[in-house]
Amino acid sequence: MTTSTTTTIADSKPYAWPFDGNLTPANTCLIVIDMQVDFCSPGGYVDSMGYDISLTRAPIVPIQNVLTCMRMKGYPILHTREGHNPDLSDCPANKLWRSQQIGAAIGQVGPCGRILIKGEPGWEIIPELEPIKGEVVIDKPGKGSFVGTSLDLILRTKGIRNIILAGVTTDVCVHTTMRNANDMGYECLLLEDCTAATDPNNHEAAISMVQKQGGVFGATCTSQELIETLSSSSLA
């Protein structure tokens, strides 16, 4: 729905997002989370764990479509990468232990270099979604995008209050970021087809959780619903 004073995504669930109809390039950004070789490509971390990477690659085209629209409209775009220092000084012992138990030890040498290590080929964002000049890249050591990073400071400096979320995985890094952002007062929207999990049931459950209690963490919609709204908005 678009009027001279408000813009909302009428079909987002469980409410028309954002809640106050204040959706502009000046206060809204897209964060593309962890679309890295290690999570989306053969030989990476997710592949080494034995999961089907066709699931984590499924959002690539929808994200490309959203990027094209939002870049054209002048919305800020941010990207995140999960990774650790080469000496593993910022990798918690329990996280390292868990990765070792599942056969994809952080720091272990694999087809894409050392797993989840900064500077290695697997740590890089996939070519299909490569950031363009001027887009912020947040390097994070954990699941959430706010812990151990300057993301909150960057967003508040830019005047951002609305966050649109894409990337992988829906149930882990995307959800952790969304929950943290919600607690910090940001108005969040999860793009259903621009996110994915290593288990489709987890993906669907994560979407459902957002929609509960009137939108406990925000709202969800499809990439097409977002694109249609932004394309028809006189404010974007």
Side-chain angles (χ1 to χ4, degrees), residues 83 90 118 138-142 144-152 180:
D90 61 348
K118 294 176 183 177
I138 299 291
D139 290 320
K140 60 188 184 70
S145 301
F146 290 96
V147 175
T149 77
S150 56
L151 177 58
D152 182 54
N180 288 343

Side-chain angles (χ1 to χ4, degrees), residues 30-53:
L30 171 70
I31 303 180
V32 182
I33 296 175
D34 297 359
M35 292 300 291
Q36 298 163 253
V37 171
D38 263 332
F39 295 110
C40 303
S41 299
Y45 181 51
V46 168
D47 189 35
S48 297
M49 288 190 287
Y51 292 110
D52 180 3
I53 60 169

Side-chain angles (χ1 to χ4, degrees), residues 29-100:
C29 75
L30 171 70
I31 303 180
V32 182
I33 296 175
D34 297 359
M35 292 300 291
Q36 298 163 253
V37 171
D38 263 332
F39 295 110
C40 303
S41 299
Y45 181 51
V46 168
D47 189 35
S48 297
M49 288 190 287
Y51 292 110
D52 180 3
I53 60 169
S54 71
L55 296 172
T56 56
R57 292 186 63 81
I60 293 175
V61 171
I63 293 174
Q64 287 175 325
N65 294 337
V66 169
L67 284 171
T68 297
C69 175
M70 295 190 73
R71 284 168 174 163
M72 182 175 62
K73 293 288 186 177
Y75 284 82
I77 311 294
L78 297 89
H79 307 257
T80 74
R81 291 182 295 204
E82 181 179 346
H84 295 283
N85 295 330
D87 63 1
L88 301 181
S89 57
D90 61 348
C91 183
N94 59 345
K95 182 179 184 180
L96 179 60
W97 176 86
R98 178 185 57 80
S99 70
Q100 293 168 340

